[in-house]
Amino acid sequence: ILFLDDCGEASERCTPQLYLSLAWIPPNSRIWTAWGDDFSSPQILERLPRAITPMSGHDGEVFGVAFSPDGKQLVSGAGDCSIRIWDSETGQMVGVPLQRHKEVVMDNGFSPDGKRILSSSTDKTIQIWDAQTGKTTSDPLKGHTDQVLSIAFSPNSKYVVSGSKDNTIRVWNVK
């Protein structure tokens, strides 16, 4: 009821999003119990995945998440300075946390070939990790003078691009 009181106008304007959000509401919740039958149809719901158990393990806010290219894993980075790899179907953590950043991990992702993981931090560095072993593949990439907020691999996995709070974009050769 509070949801409808607070979000009634938005739900009227964004009805398709409301339908989609039902896939992430637990069937035993008060919202689903009260309104699920009114908003759901078998055709819509059978195409939407059910949310898995929340993945927990970080001891700080999570700032970046990304799927592996094959969709079998997720990578997350957080305020606890760690990167974690998760099985995307079970929600279980794979291996141990990857820890080399000295400050908050802001962004992360997999290389297009799925062999490496990239992470950036408020410590002004970028790390490249072997996705199988969890070990870094080189020394940290340094050059930004402020927090590294966003990163990405090039489609051929040979380059990394980064964006920083220092108002610059840098392109790095992975070798």
Side-chain angles (χ1 to χ4, degrees):
I1 305 284
L2 293 174
F3 171 79
L4 292 176
D5 288 344
D6 292 341
C7 305
E9 184 180 332
S11 65
E12 287 177 12
R13 287 185 281 121
C14 304
T15 304
Q17 286 81 0
L18 188 58
Y19 279 106
L20 292 172
S21 69
L22 285 173
W24 305 104
I25 297 174
N28 60 348
S29 71
R30 293 173 73 187
I31 292 173
W32 184 271
T33 303
W35 302 101
D37 289 340
D38 295 337
F39 291 112
S40 62
S41 76
Q43 295 84 8
I44 291 173
L45 293 178
E46 70 188 22
R47 289 183 280 164
L48 297 175
R50 270 274 156 230
I52 60 174
T53 303
M55 298 172 205
S56 58
H58 282 292
D59 291 326
E61 297 172 294
V62 177
F63 291 101
V65 294
F67 276 102
S68 62
D70 64 7
K72 293 181 180 179
Q73 293 183 325
L74 294 164
V75 64
S76 61
D80 61 7
C81 309
S82 75
I83 296 102
R84 295 174 190 253
I85 302 170
W86 309 87
D87 181 299
S88 63
E89 291 187 18
T90 67
Q92 297 298 308
M93 190 167 64
V94 177
V96 297
L98 311 180
Q99 296 182 302
R100 192 158 175 198
H101 286 293
K102 293 177 176 62
E103 294 179 18
V104 173
V105 177
M106 294 302 295
D107 197 13
N108 48 253
F110 281 91
S111 60
D113 61 11
K115 293 180 180 178
R116 287 172 285 191
I117 294 172
L118 191 59
S119 61
S120 69
S121 172
T122 58
D123 67 10
K124 307 173 193 169
T125 67
I126 299 162
Q127 296 281 346
I128 302 174
W129 310 81
D130 182 297
Q132 290 284 76
T133 67
K135 297 186 185 306
T136 55
T137 61
S138 65
D139 289 334
L141 302 178
K142 296 179 180 178
H144 283 293
T145 59
D146 207 338
Q147 303 173 18
V148 185
L149 302 174
S150 61
I151 47 167
F153 273 101
S154 65
N156 64 8
S157 300
K158 292 183 180 181
Y159 300 96
V160 168
V161 65
S162 58
S164 170
K165 199 170 179 180
D166 66 10
N167 300 328
T168 66
I169 296 167
R170 291 179 181 253
V171 178
W172 311 81
N173 186 321
V174 172
K175 291 183 182 181

